[in-house]
Amino acid sequence: MRLRFGDCVFDAETREVLRSDRPAAISPKAFSLLELLIASRPAAVSKASIRERLWPGVHVAEANLGNLVVELRAALGDDARRPRIIRTVPRFGYAFRAAASPVSRVETDAGGAALVYRLIWGRREVALDTGDNLIGRDRDAVVWIDDESVSRRHARISIGTDGVSIEDLGSKNGTYLGGRKIRGRVRLGHHDVVKVGPATLRLRVMRHTGSTRSTRSKSPP
């Protein structure tokens, strides 16, 4: 997963953060904290949950967590008094609040040609980036489906070095692949058909020609 927020790029695979295209000085613990907050966004994460994840089975002073947050804010250029990235939730914990968008990493097929991923939705094409692509009624979703039968965070299509997969995110009405309701993470292939609420989405995998164009859209006409 690669995400851009502000002038920063978070890369879960290489475990680094770039700020203004330069590596930010972040310790492994601070990176793990940022990774946890990003994965949980927009929900806040309690201090107890963070300590359990970062220091499992070990009692640590509460100041240790506070110091990590200070380190992260300094590395990311965030301001504790006017936070743009890490929000303090009084007497509870912390939350990632910045608007984040996926950043593509070019992938190739066996012959070395770059691959491009699209969801065909009626007469429209929706571009999919490397990393996580949210499907749902949330306006920040890559595939925004404006229908009451669709959950705000309905499903997620992930693109990585091991291929493409889809996962239902606990939606109310389920996600269907080839007419069957999926459970857990399921692999996707070229021309597989996904059904989310009223939307029928077909995956297309193409070799990059330099002329492919993408559209991010709501319901097709």
Side-chain angles (χ1 to χ4, degrees), residues 16-100:
E16 66 178 347
V17 175
L18 301 179
R19 183 181 174 196
S20 299
D21 297 324
R22 295 183 178 181
I26 297 179
S27 67
K29 284 288 187 193
F31 184 92
S32 295
L33 172 58
L34 178 60
E35 185 175 36
L36 174 60
L37 296 179
I38 286 176
S40 304
R41 73 189 193 282
V45 184
S46 69
K47 293 180 180 179
S49 296
I50 294 173
R51 287 194 292 267
E52 183 178 350
R53 175 69 72 86
L54 269 56
W55 297 280
V58 178
H59 176 74
V60 296
E62 187 164 341
N64 287 26
L65 176 54
N67 290 337
L68 285 184
V69 174
V70 170
E71 177 187 341
L72 270 183
R73 283 176 170 152
L76 302 177
D78 202 15
D79 187 341
R81 290 171 295 181
R82 295 182 179 179
R84 299 172 294 103
I85 300 171
I86 300 175
R87 177 172 64 92
T88 299
V89 183
R91 296 182 296 277
F92 182 77
Y94 301 94
F96 184 87
R97 68 175 303 173

XYZ file of all heavy atoms in Angstrom, residues 16-100:
654
model
N 8.823 2.886 4.539
C 9.438 4.212 4.595
C 8.392 5.282 4.299
O 7.330 5.003 3.732
C 10.594 4.332 3.613
C 10.193 4.272 2.162
C 11.378 4.450 1.214
O 12.450 4.868 1.688
O 11.207 4.176 0.018
N 8.705 6.477 4.731
C 7.862 7.642 4.455
C 8.727 8.682 3.758
O 9.830 8.995 4.228
C 7.262 8.228 5.749
C 6.490 9.510 5.439
C 6.356 7.224 6.433
N 8.231 9.172 2.625
C 8.923 10.240 1.913
C 8.208 11.549 2.196
O 6.978 11.615 2.179
C 8.931 9.972 0.409
C 9.575 8.672 -0.060
C 9.463 8.556 -1.574
C 11.022 8.590 0.381
N 8.994 12.581 2.457
C 8.433 13.921 2.617
C 9.148 14.833 1.638
O 10.381 14.949 1.681
C 8.607 14.423 4.045
C 7.972 15.786 4.272
C 8.173 16.270 5.684
N 7.678 17.627 5.837
C 7.978 18.424 6.858
N 8.766 17.978 7.832
N 7.501 19.651 6.908
N 8.371 15.434 0.754
C 8.945 16.246 -0.334
C 9.976 15.448 -1.108
O 11.062 15.936 -1.446
C 9.566 17.533 0.227
O 8.593 18.318 0.874
N 9.622 14.147 -1.345
C 10.450 13.215 -2.128
C 11.759 12.830 -1.448
O 12.647 12.257 -2.079
C 10.757 13.787 -3.522
C 9.489 13.970 -4.350
O 8.588 13.118 -4.224
O 9.406 14.951 -5.100
N 11.884 13.119 -0.148
C 13.070 12.714 0.594
C 12.663 11.832 1.769
O 11.620 12.074 2.398
C 13.833 13.939 1.108
C 14.402 14.810 0.001
C 15.202 15.962 0.584
N 15.801 16.788 -0.465
C 16.563 17.839 -0.224
N 16.830 18.202 1.034
N 17.066 18.530 -1.232
N 13.461 10.796 2.098
C 13.113 9.909 3.213
C 13.015 10.682 4.520
O 13.889 11.485 4.859
C 14.281 8.916 3.247
C 14.859 8.957 1.868
C 14.691 10.370 1.401
N 11.921 10.457 5.245
C 11.741 11.075 6.554
C 12.387 10.193 7.616
O 12.340 8.973 7.536
C 10.253 11.259 6.849
N 12.995 10.825 8.616
C 13.661 10.084 9.693
C 12.610 9.626 10.701
O 12.168 10.400 11.561
C 14.703 10.962 10.365
N 12.190 8.365 10.564
C 11.163 7.794 11.443
C 11.661 6.457 11.970
O 12.081 5.593 11.194
C 9.840 7.605 10.682
C 9.296 8.965 10.220
C 8.809 6.897 11.555
C 8.011 8.866 9.435
N 11.597 6.281 13.268
C 12.030 5.023 13.874
C 11.041 3.908 13.543
O 9.886 4.176 13.182
C 12.122 5.180 15.394
O 10.824 5.373 15.954
N 11.459 2.641 13.652
C 10.550 1.519 13.362
C 9.263 1.561 14.187
O 8.185 1.272 13.662
C 11.396 0.289 13.698
C 12.806 0.738 13.455
C 12.841 2.161 13.907
N 9.350 1.915 15.473
C 8.151 1.984 16.311
C 7.219 3.088 15.840
O 5.998 2.917 15.794
C 8.536 2.227 17.768
C 9.088 1.019 18.497
C 8.012 -0.003 18.792
C 8.576 -1.111 19.683
N 7.685 -2.267 19.752
N 7.781 4.227 15.499
C 6.961 5.342 15.018
C 6.299 4.981 13.691
O 5.135 5.333 13.453
C 7.812 6.597 14.874
N 7.033 4.277 12.822
C 6.440 3.839 11.554
C 5.283 2.890 11.825
O 4.221 2.994 11.179
C 7.482 3.152 10.678
C 6.957 2.766 9.320
C 7.077 3.629 8.242
C 6.305 1.556 9.123
C 6.565 3.295 6.991
C 5.795 1.207 7.890
C 5.923 2.081 6.815
N 5.448 1.953 12.763
C 4.372 1.007 13.095
C 3.152 1.736 13.634
O 2.016 1.349 13.349
C 4.870 -0.013 14.119
O 5.890 -0.826 13.569
N 3.372 2.796 14.410
C 2.254 3.593 14.910
C 1.521 4.260 13.755
O 0.280 4.224 13.686
C 2.757 4.641 15.888
C 1.735 5.687 16.352
C 0.533 5.016 17.017
C 2.389 6.701 17.284
N 2.274 4.866 12.839
C 1.651 5.516 11.683
C 0.890 4.493 10.848
O -0.237 4.760 10.401
C 2.722 6.197 10.840
C 2.247 6.898 9.567
C 1.247 8.002 9.883
C 3.440 7.458 8.793
N 1.472 3.322 10.641
C 0.820 2.260 9.871
C -0.503 1.857 10.514
O -1.518 1.666 9.828
C 1.751 1.065 9.780
C 1.250 -0.064 8.900
C 2.270 -1.168 8.768
O 2.990 -1.443 9.758
O 2.379 -1.755 7.675
N -0.519 1.735 11.838
C -1.747 1.363 12.553
C -2.816 2.438 12.416
O -3.990 2.132 12.155
C -1.418 1.128 14.031
C -2.601 0.868 14.967
C -3.384 -0.367 14.539
C -2.105 0.720 16.404
N -2.429 3.695 12.573
C -3.405 4.783 12.475
C -3.967 4.898 11.059
O -5.163 5.150 10.870
C -2.754 6.105 12.894
C -2.298 6.196 14.356
C -1.641 7.549 14.611
C -3.474 5.986 15.305
N -3.108 4.705 10.047
C -3.570 4.764 8.659
C -4.538 3.623 8.368
O -5.589 3.824 7.747
C -2.372 4.726 7.694
C -1.640 6.068 7.716
C -2.822 4.391 6.269
C -0.390 6.101 6.863
N -4.203 2.415 8.831
C -5.065 1.260 8.580
C -6.416 1.402 9.260
O -7.417 0.863 8.778
C -4.369 -0.010 9.066
N -6.472 2.141 10.363
C -7.717 2.282 11.133
C -8.524 3.511 10.733
O -9.645 3.684 11.229
C -7.391 2.364 12.632
O -6.654 1.257 13.066
N -7.966 4.376 9.874
C -8.630 5.634 9.553
C -10.027 5.403 8.976
O -10.249 4.389 8.313
C -7.774 6.442 8.555
C -7.771 5.883 7.134
C -6.734 6.610 6.288
N -6.913 6.315 4.890
C -6.525 5.197 4.286
N -5.935 4.236 4.978
N -6.743 5.024 2.991
N -10.993 6.265 9.233
C -10.882 7.490 10.026
C -11.126 7.267 11.520
O -11.204 8.219 12.288
C -11.995 8.360 9.428
C -13.054 7.372 9.069
C -12.311 6.128 8.592
N -11.283 6.008 11.931
C -11.566 5.717 13.335
C -10.364 6.047 14.216
O -9.207 5.921 13.791
C -11.939 4.243 13.501
N -10.652 6.454 15.443
C -9.598 6.695 16.419
C -9.181 5.370 17.054
O -9.980 4.440 17.157
C -10.090 7.665 17.489
N -7.925 5.286 17.446
C -7.390 4.081 18.077
C -7.034 4.415 19.521
O -6.366 5.418 19.787
C -6.144 3.567 17.332
C -5.663 2.253 17.948
C -6.443 3.380 15.848
N -7.489 3.593 20.445
C -7.243 3.865 21.861
C -5.769 3.679 22.204
O -5.043 2.917 21.542
C -8.091 2.940 22.739
O -7.631 1.605 22.645
N -5.334 4.346 23.264
C -3.953 4.203 23.716
C -3.669 2.765 24.121
O -2.583 2.245 23.866
C -3.685 5.150 24.884
C -3.719 6.624 24.504
C -3.438 7.500 25.713
C -3.482 8.975 25.340
N -3.230 9.843 26.515
N -4.651 2.125 24.740
C -4.468 0.733 25.162
C -4.239 -0.178 23.961
O -3.369 -1.053 23.981
C -5.681 0.268 25.961
N -5.008 0.032 22.886
C -4.851 -0.783 21.680
C -3.499 -0.547 21.024
O -2.858 -1.476 20.531
C -5.976 -0.482 20.687
O -7.228 -0.847 21.216
N -3.061 0.709 21.029
C -1.767 1.028 20.430
C -0.641 0.374 21.211
O 0.265 -0.233 20.634
C -1.559 2.557 20.385
C -2.588 3.201 19.429
C -0.138 2.893 19.931
C -2.568 4.711 19.448
N -0.695 0.485 22.552
C 0.359 -0.131 23.364
C 0.379 -1.641 23.188
O 1.452 -2.258 23.133
C 0.165 0.245 24.833
C 0.526 1.688 25.165
C 0.641 1.896 26.657
N -0.657 1.769 27.307
C -1.474 2.790 27.552
N -1.104 4.019 27.214
N -2.626 2.604 28.154
N -0.803 -2.246 23.073
C -0.871 -3.694 22.881
C -0.250 -4.108 21.556
O 0.392 -5.155 21.453
C -2.329 -4.155 22.951
C -2.512 -5.656 22.827
C -3.965 -6.073 22.945
O -4.801 -5.220 23.317
O -4.268 -7.235 22.645
N -0.439 -3.276 20.514
C 0.103 -3.596 19.198
C 1.615 -3.332 19.137
O 2.359 -4.142 18.571
C -0.608 -2.748 18.140
C -0.039 -2.914 16.736
C -0.321 -4.284 16.153
N -1.722 -4.382 15.829
C -2.250 -3.983 14.674
N -1.467 -3.470 13.748
N -3.541 -4.136 14.463
N 2.056 -2.227 19.719
C 3.459 -1.849 19.594
C 4.367 -2.507 20.628
O 5.541 -2.765 20.356
C 3.599 -0.324 19.687
C 3.541 0.461 18.372
C 2.274 0.171 17.596
C 3.679 1.963 18.638
N 3.814 -2.755 21.824
C 4.604 -3.372 22.890
C 3.823 -4.546 23.491
O 3.416 -4.497 24.654
C 4.915 -2.350 23.983
C 5.759 -1.196 23.542
C 7.105 -1.180 23.383
C 5.301 0.131 23.229
N 7.532 0.064 22.995
C 6.456 0.888 22.889
C 4.049 0.762 23.209
C 6.381 2.235 22.527
C 3.973 2.087 22.854
C 5.130 2.819 22.504
N 3.568 -5.590 22.704
C 2.745 -6.709 23.209
C 3.366 -7.394 24.424
O 4.537 -7.775 24.413
C 2.690 -7.667 22.001
C 3.891 -7.321 21.177
C 4.092 -5.849 21.358
N 2.549 -7.497 25.485
C 2.994 -8.195 26.683
C 4.028 -7.469 27.501
O 4.602 -8.053 28.430
N 4.283 -6.195 27.180
C 5.307 -5.428 27.898
C 4.668 -4.180 28.505
O 3.917 -3.465 27.837
C 6.453 -5.012 26.946
C 7.491 -4.173 27.696
C 7.104 -6.243 26.330
N 4.966 -3.925 29.775
C 4.462 -2.700 30.406
C 5.415 -1.559 30.093
O 6.619 -1.644 30.355
C 4.350 -2.886 31.919
C 3.919 -1.633 32.634
N 2.622 -1.167 32.576
C 4.628 -0.742 33.383
C 2.534 -0.046 33.267
N 3.743 0.235 33.768
N 4.895 -0.492 29.507
C 5.718 0.669 29.180
C 5.082 1.922 29.753
O 3.865 1.986 29.955
C 5.884 0.827 27.645
C 6.633 -0.355 27.064
C 4.529 0.993 26.974
N 5.908 2.896 30.024
C 5.408 4.171 30.527
C 4.561 4.861 29.465
O 4.841 4.757 28.267
C 6.574 5.066 30.933
N 3.523 5.569 29.895
C 2.636 6.242 28.946
C 3.387 7.276 28.124
O 3.027 7.565 26.973
C 1.472 6.902 29.687
C 0.423 7.478 28.756
C -0.884 7.763 29.467
O -1.119 7.211 30.545
O -1.678 8.549 28.916
N 4.466 7.806 28.692
C 5.253 8.816 27.966
C 5.874 8.254 26.703
O 6.144 9.000 25.754
C 6.340 9.378 28.882
N 6.100 6.932 26.654
C 6.697 6.333 25.460
C 5.842 6.560 24.235
O 6.345 6.863 23.146
C 6.899 4.831 25.672
C 8.046 4.527 26.614
O 8.380 5.346 27.458
N 8.648 3.366 26.492
N 4.525 6.376 24.395
C 3.613 6.596 23.272
C 3.580 8.067 22.893
O 3.611 8.415 21.710
C 2.208 6.100 23.618
C 1.117 6.339 22.577
C 1.533 5.781 21.223
C -0.196 5.723 23.037
N 3.532 8.939 23.884
C 3.532 10.370 23.602
C 4.769 10.801 22.844
O 4.697 11.636 21.935
N 5.908 10.211 23.196
C 7.154 10.548 22.497
C 7.120 10.108 21.038
O 7.664 10.792 20.161
C 8.337 9.901 23.206
C 8.617 10.531 24.556
O 8.243 11.680 24.805
N 9.272 9.796 25.434
N 6.486 8.942 20.759
C 6.362 8.481 19.376
C 5.512 9.441 18.554
O 5.810 9.722 17.393
C 5.750 7.084 19.324
C 6.631 5.898 19.709
C 5.877 4.589 19.490
C 7.925 5.896 18.908
N 4.430 9.930 19.153
C 3.556 10.871 18.451
C 4.317 12.165 18.151
O 4.209 12.730 17.053
C 2.288 11.157 19.285
C 1.447 12.256 18.620
C 1.453 9.894 19.450
N 5.094 12.634 19.117
C 5.911 13.838 18.896
C 6.896 13.601 17.758
O 7.090 14.466 16.890
C 6.659 14.212 20.193
C 7.684 15.311 19.904
C 5.679 14.678 21.252
N 7.518 12.417 17.741
C 8.475 12.074 16.674
C 7.790 12.073 15.307
O 8.330 12.629 14.329
C 9.078 10.696 16.951
C 10.031 10.226 15.849
C 10.493 8.789 16.043
O 10.385 8.273 17.182
O 10.950 8.171 15.060
N 6.613 11.457 15.234
C 5.886 11.396 13.965
C 5.505 12.782 13.472
O 5.690 13.107 12.295
C 4.623 10.546 14.120
C 4.732 9.058 13.842
C 3.361 8.402 13.982
C 5.298 8.788 12.465
N 4.977 13.595 14.366
C 4.553 14.932 13.959
C 5.728 15.747 13.445
O 5.610 16.490 12.457
C 3.861 15.630 15.128
C 2.431 15.141 15.347
C 1.799 15.771 16.549
N 0.364 15.474 16.607
C -0.345 15.416 17.724
N 0.258 15.637 18.889
N -1.629 15.137 17.689
N 6.867 15.612 14.093
C 8.048 16.350 13.652
C 8.497 15.871 12.275
O 8.839 16.677 11.401
C 9.174 16.184 14.667
N 8.477 14.555 12.061
C 8.927 13.993 10.786
C 7.980 14.339 9.647
O 8.410 14.515 8.499
C 9.073 12.482 10.905
N 6.666 14.435 9.952
C 5.663 14.671 8.914
C 5.330 16.153 8.736
O 4.542 16.504 7.851
C 4.381 13.902 9.249
C 4.527 12.385 9.418
C 3.189 11.772 9.827
C 5.040 11.744 8.139
N 5.895 16.996 9.595
C 5.598 18.422 9.498
C 4.228 18.768 10.036
O 3.586 19.720 9.562
N 3.761 18.015 11.027
C 2.447 18.246 11.618
C 2.583 19.145 12.852
O 3.648 19.217 13.471
C 1.814 16.910 12.003
C 0.297 16.986 12.119
O -0.284 17.972 11.628
O -0.294 16.063 12.690
N 1.499 19.815 13.215
C 1.492 20.735 14.351
C 0.485 20.225 15.375
O -0.699 20.068 15.062
C 1.110 22.135 13.880
C 1.233 23.189 14.975
O 1.253 22.821 16.167
O 1.299 24.388 14.652
N 0.926 19.982 16.601
C 0.040 19.452 17.642
C -1.104 20.409 17.957
O -2.210 19.969 18.302
C 0.847 19.155 18.906
N -0.862 21.715 17.823
C -1.913 22.686 18.137
C -2.950 22.794 17.019
O -4.127 23.039 17.272
C -1.297 24.059 18.412
C -0.509 24.115 19.718
C 0.252 25.400 19.861
N 1.292 25.528 18.841
C 2.113 26.556 18.752
N 2.022 27.568 19.603
N 3.037 26.590 17.799
N -2.500 22.593 15.768
C -3.404 22.600 14.613
C -3.099 21.383 13.753
O -2.558 21.502 12.649
C -3.248 23.880 13.804
C -3.661 25.136 14.568
C -3.527 26.368 13.700
N -3.942 27.576 14.385
C -3.913 28.795 13.849
N -3.451 28.954 12.600
N -4.323 29.849 14.529
N -3.437 20.194 14.245
C -3.041 18.955 13.547
C -3.759 18.772 12.221
O -4.965 18.940 12.111
C -3.425 17.855 14.550
C -4.534 18.459 15.345
C -4.192 19.909 15.474
N -2.975 18.450 11.195
C -3.522 18.130 9.883
C -3.471 16.631 9.604
O -4.185 16.127 8.758
C -2.752 18.860 8.780
C -2.791 20.370 8.856
C -1.855 20.997 7.838
N -0.453 20.702 8.113
C 0.263 19.808 7.469
N -0.261 19.104 6.477
N 1.532 19.607 7.785
N -2.571 15.933 10.344
C -2.329 14.520 10.054
C -2.720 13.615 11.218
O -3.497 12.672 11.049
C -0.848 14.308 9.689
C -0.491 15.153 8.455
C -0.567 12.819 9.423
C 0.992 15.182 8.131
N -2.202 13.885 12.398
C -2.485 13.051 13.567
C -3.300 13.847 14.569
O -2.837 14.867 15.100
C -1.186 12.545 14.212
C -0.393 11.713 13.203
C -1.489 11.713 15.455
C 0.953 11.273 13.701
N -4.496 13.377 14.819
C -5.422 14.054 15.736
C -5.382 13.381 17.110
O -5.468 12.164 17.213
C -6.838 13.998 15.172
C -7.908 14.597 16.076
C -9.236 14.661 15.340
N -9.738 13.349 15.004
C -10.569 12.635 15.773
N -10.968 13.124 16.945
N -11.007 11.457 15.375
N -5.240 14.185 18.150
C -5.312 13.674 19.515
C -6.765 13.620 19.953
O -7.499 14.608 19.812
C -4.525 14.571 20.484
O -3.141 14.584 20.095
C -4.639 14.049 21.913
N -7.198 12.479 20.438
C -8.544 12.321 20.978
C -8.413 12.339 22.503
O -7.920 11.368 23.085
C -9.189 11.010 20.510
C -10.623 10.909 21.025
C -9.159 10.908 18.989
N -8.796 13.420 23.152
C -8.567 13.556 24.596
C -9.094 12.368 25.397
O -10.192 11.870 25.150
C -9.340 14.843 24.943
C -9.342 15.624 23.665
C -9.475 14.597 22.577
N -8.265 11.910 26.325
C -8.591 10.819 27.242
C -8.930 9.521 26.513
O -9.591 8.657 27.056
C -9.737 11.209 28.181
C -9.382 12.371 29.114
C -10.513 12.685 30.057
N -11.678 13.156 29.336
C -11.847 14.415 28.931
N -10.923 15.319 29.171
N -12.919 14.767 28.280
N -8.491 9.388 25.257
C -8.750 8.153 24.518
C -7.532 7.678 23.730
O -6.966 6.638 24.013
C -9.935 8.326 23.568
C -10.277 7.066 22.819
C -10.973 6.035 23.437
C -9.889 6.895 21.491
C -11.271 4.855 22.763
C -10.180 5.726 20.802
C -10.877 4.707 21.447
N -7.130 8.430 22.703
C -6.035 7.958 21.866
C -5.739 8.904 20.728
O -5.770 10.126 20.887
N -5.535 8.328 19.528
C -5.129 9.129 18.371
C -5.835 8.632 17.105
O -6.296 7.496 17.043
C -3.608 9.065 18.171
C -2.828 9.560 19.357
C -2.379 8.672 20.332
C -2.555 10.911 19.513
C -1.671 9.119 21.443
C -1.844 11.377 20.615
C -1.411 10.469 21.575
O -0.714 10.920 22.673
N -5.882 9.511 16.106
C -6.510 9.159 14.830
C -5.751 9.827 13.687
O -5.186 10.913 13.846
C -7.972 9.584 14.806
N -5.742 9.150 12.538
C -5.160 9.726 11.315
C -6.259 10.509 10.618
O -7.315 9.966 10.287
C -4.643 8.600 10.417
C -3.938 9.078 9.185
C -2.580 9.356 9.217
C -4.623 9.245 7.995
C -1.915 9.799 8.074
C -3.973 9.699 6.857
C -2.618 9.968 6.897
N -6.031 11.804 10.386
C -7.095 12.654 9.858
C -6.827 13.226 8.477
O -7.708 13.843 7.865
C -7.361 13.819 10.818
C -6.242 14.833 10.911
C -6.639 16.001 11.796
N -7.856 16.640 11.326
C -8.502 17.597 11.987
N -8.040 18.020 13.140
N -9.585 18.147 11.491
N -5.651 13.038 7.939
C -5.315 13.638 6.641
C -6.043 12.926 5.506
O -6.300 11.728 5.565
C -3.811 13.576 6.408
N -6.376 13.683 4.469
C -6.935 13.090 3.253
C -5.811 12.357 2.533
O -4.757 12.935 2.266
C -7.532 14.169 2.361
N -6.015 11.075 2.240
C -4.971 10.258 1.625
C -5.484 9.639 0.336
O -6.655 9.276 0.229
C -4.504 9.168 2.587
